[in-house]
Structure formats: structure tokens, C-alpha cells
Amino acid sequence: MKKLSTYLLFIILFLLPSQSWSHEIRPAFLQIIQKDSDTYEVYWKVPRMRDVIPPIYPVFEEGIQLNRLMRPQKSIGASFSKYELVAEIPLEGTAIFIDGLKKTLIDVLVSVEYLNGERSTMMLQADQDTGLIKGTASTLQLAETYTVLGVEHILLGIDHLLFVLALLLICKRFKKLLGAITAFTLSHSFTLTLAVLGVIYIPTPPVEAVIALSIVFLAVELIKNLEGKESLTSKSPWLVAFTFGLLHGLGFASALHEVGLPQVEIPVALACFNIGVELGQIAFVSVMLAVFGLFNRLSNVSLMVKKIPAYMIGSVAFFWFIERIAAFC
């Protein structure tokens, strides 16, 4: 581009919280399953922030006792614990509090399954760390919860946003940009659906590594574009967006699997999560186009300065690639 917009735009992104660079901030998941009149199984998953497990814990009202059945088990992306909950009072209508949540950026998805098949789903956040457990959740409440999860996933997933940003910088014509974004949306929606339904399965670590590599590829393509050379992405952006979108869809699916899905309403949860992802993506693209328009009035800069965003995007993405490869080697 002939203006300073790309440089200033990336500086804005570069100043975003560092803990969200490599991986999106994923929610914690508290699943409560009733086994008899007063006993429940409890599964507690907390996402790892780099090598640290945030010290957050569920706390229930007096008369509800939580007994640990299994020591926390650590995986690449989270810590898992199993408990038995014994309720001397009805669980419905009682309060649940997440201790330590105010000091984090983590959301907590709480899911309760009763013996009669009813379900309750709610989201707790840093500014709302206490909630009441309901007897059942409406389809509308479920839809709202998973739509918000989708929006948060894309807006806090800096690797996905950098991929879209690179596409924006390469596609100078609106028609090409629209085609690329549409292709990206269709392809990641396709693999997201297949992966969530169990039709296909690819381990998460290799997928995340290749997602980082896709951003490196676009950074190289952007440099070629700035030098006036024709590249695959500049000629057929929709093809590149569609191809790599298949991988990004698998990344979205792994995040949704970690959060958890209500077994009786998977289609609703899946559709709303995907809608949330699209809403977040549309919001990001709209803001970036507005920023482009704002800074396009600034004076021309040298070719070297124009390349700075591409080099920064490529360097950060390559660091993620090495980091993710090392995580499973």
C-alpha cells in the first residue's frame, strides 16, 4: 500500500495484551452431572496461560460439599480435575462463585445436567464471577452463550486475526477481498462442522503449527506484493483463503471441543458458535477497513517502511510455529 496505514495498524495490534499473542484466551469449563438425588460428578478444566495454571476455583454455597476425586492432570493446553459434589440442599437456585476470576481475563462456562434430562448453561466472567444455577436453560440462553464464545474466540485469537489482516493488506480491490473473506468463511465453517460432529479428526498441535505457518506464507506473499511482484495470493486470494481456511476451521473446532458441547443441542451450539466467529470476523474487518481509510490520507513512505508490518507478522508467526512444533516434539 502507498500509505502509512499498514505500519500504524500493526503497531496497534502489536500493543495488544501479550498473553493472547500465541493462543487465544480460552474459557475454563465446569461440568456438573447429576448421578442421584444428592450426588454429582464435577469436571473442572482450566486453560494454561503459557506454563502457568491460573489459580481459580469453583466455590458453592454452604450445604454443598466438593470432594476431589482426582489430582489435577496437566495437558498441553489445560489442567483437568475431577470432583464429587454432595448437595444437602437442592442445587437448583444456589449460587456458584469462581474464586480468583476477577484477577484474570478468563471466562468460565458452567454446564449442569440433571437426572431428568434438563440442562443449565451460563457464563461467568471477571466482572461477573457469581451466578445462580438454574434448573433448565432455554434454547435462546444456550444460543446466546455459544454466540458470545464464538465472538470472543475470534477476537482473542490473534493468530486467526493476523491471517485475515494479511489478506486485507494483499487484496487491494474490494471485490477480491470480498471473495477471499467469503471463501475463508465457507471453508472454516465446513471443517469446523465436520470436526465437531466427529467426521474428521486431526490432533490439535500439528493443526496449530500449520496455522502459524499459513500466516508466514501470507507475510512472504505480502512482501512480494509490495515489491510489485505477482503472487499466488494476489492472483487468486480466494483459493489461498479457502485452502488455509480449512485448517483454521480445525483450530476453531479444537477450541469448541475444549469448551464442551451440550449433547442434546449440538446443532444449536455449533451453529451459534460459528455465527459468533463470523460476527467477530466481520467486526474486525470493518474496523480495519475504517483504519485504512483514516490513515490513507497520510503522506507516502519508503518501501522499507511499508515492509515493516509484513516482517513483523512473519516473524511473530514463525516464532509461534517453532513454539508449537516444540510443544509436541
Side-chain angles (χ1 to χ4, degrees):
M1 299 179 71
K2 295 182 178 181
K3 308 296 180 181
L4 194 58
S5 60
T6 57
Y7 178 59
L8 294 179
L9 175 59
F10 191 78
I11 291 298
I12 293 172
L13 287 175
F14 196 76
L15 293 176
L16 287 170
S18 60
Q19 61 260 52
S20 65
W21 280 10
S22 178
H23 297 280
E24 67 279 0
I25 299 176
R26 295 177 175 176
F29 181 47
L30 179 65
Q31 184 177 35
I32 304 172
I33 303 173
Q34 188 174 19
K35 292 302 177 183
D36 55 45
S37 60
D38 59 0
T39 305
Y40 299 76
E41 280 186 359
V42 177
Y43 299 90
W44 175 232
K45 178 191 74 69
V46 181
R48 297 179 66 175
M49 301 291 106
R50 295 189 181 274
D51 294 325
V52 178
I53 303 297
I56 59 175
Y57 308 95
V59 178
F60 295 86
E61 287 188 9
E62 185 176 351
I64 300 176
Q65 185 176 354
L66 199 60
N67 304 314
R68 175 173 286 170
L69 299 178
M70 181 184 75
R71 295 178 60 86
Q73 303 294 311
K74 296 181 180 180
S75 67
I76 293 177
S79 172
F80 299 86
S81 301
K82 182 178 179 180
Y83 298 85
E84 179 186 63
L85 185 150
V86 179
E88 299 175 359
I89 58 176
L91 192 62
E92 180 182 350
T94 62
I96 180 173
F97 164 65
I98 306 299
D99 186 26
L101 192 61
K102 286 187 181 296
K103 300 178 182 178
T104 72
L105 295 174
I106 299 173
D107 294 342
V108 177
L109 178 62
V110 181
S111 174
V112 183
E113 300 178 20
Y114 296 98
L115 282 175
N116 60 6
E118 293 184 343
R119 299 179 56 88
S120 173
T121 303
M122 66 176 168
M123 182 78 73
L124 299 178
Q125 301 171 315
D127 59 351
Q128 187 179 350
D129 57 0
T130 302
L132 292 179
I133 298 176
K134 299 179 181 179
T136 185
S138 67
T139 300
L140 181 60
Q141 290 173 320
L142 182 72
E144 180 182 356
T145 297
Y146 279 87
T147 300
V148 170
L149 278 174
V151 172
E152 291 185 345
H153 178 79
I154 187 67
L155 293 183
L156 296 176
I158 305 303
D159 48 1
H160 301 299
L161 293 185
L162 283 187
F163 182 88
V164 174
L165 174 60
L167 278 178
L168 289 175
L169 296 176
I170 293 173
C171 299
K172 296 189 173 87
R173 296 181 180 178
F174 181 75
K175 185 177 180 180
K176 280 192 172 184
L177 173 60
L178 181 61
I181 295 299
T182 301
F184 183 67
T185 295
L186 291 175
S187 63
H188 76 61
S189 298
F190 178 67
T191 48
L192 168 62
T193 301
L194 292 182
V196 168
L197 296 179
V199 177
I200 58 175
Y201 171 74
I202 299 178
T204 300
V207 169
E208 291 190 338
V210 179
I211 286 175
L213 203 57
S214 72
I215 303 170
V216 175
F217 172 82
L218 283 190
V220 173
E221 294 280 279
L222 178 55
I223 291 173
K224 292 180 181 179
N225 188 258
L226 291 171
E227 293 175 344
K229 301 175 183 178
E230 195 172 44
S231 65
L232 176 61
T233 307
S234 61
K235 288 189 296 184
S236 303
W238 69 269
L239 178 60
V240 173
F242 184 87
T243 302
F244 286 122
L246 297 173
L247 287 167
H248 285 252
L250 294 174
F252 295 146
S254 67
L256 188 53
H257 272 303
E258 288 187 8
V259 170
L261 281 168
Q263 297 304 308
V264 293
E265 295 192 83
I266 288 181
V268 174
L270 174 59
C272 291
F273 180 83
N274 200 36
I275 289 171
V277 168
E278 301 317 318
L279 290 175
Q281 184 173 282
I282 290 171
F284 175 74
V285 170
S286 300
V287 169
M288 293 303 99
L289 290 177
V291 173
F292 286 156
L294 178 65
F295 286 103
N296 274 347
R297 301 177 182 180
L298 299 179
S299 59
N300 292 340
V301 295
S302 67
L303 178 61
M304 182 57 67
V305 173
K306 294 176 188 177
K307 289 182 178 180
I308 290 177
Y311 282 120
M312 294 178 74
I313 291 173
S315 298
V316 171
F318 191 71
F319 169 77
W320 291 339
F321 174 68
I322 298 300
E323 181 183 52
R324 293 173 184 185
I325 286 291
F328 64 86
C329 285

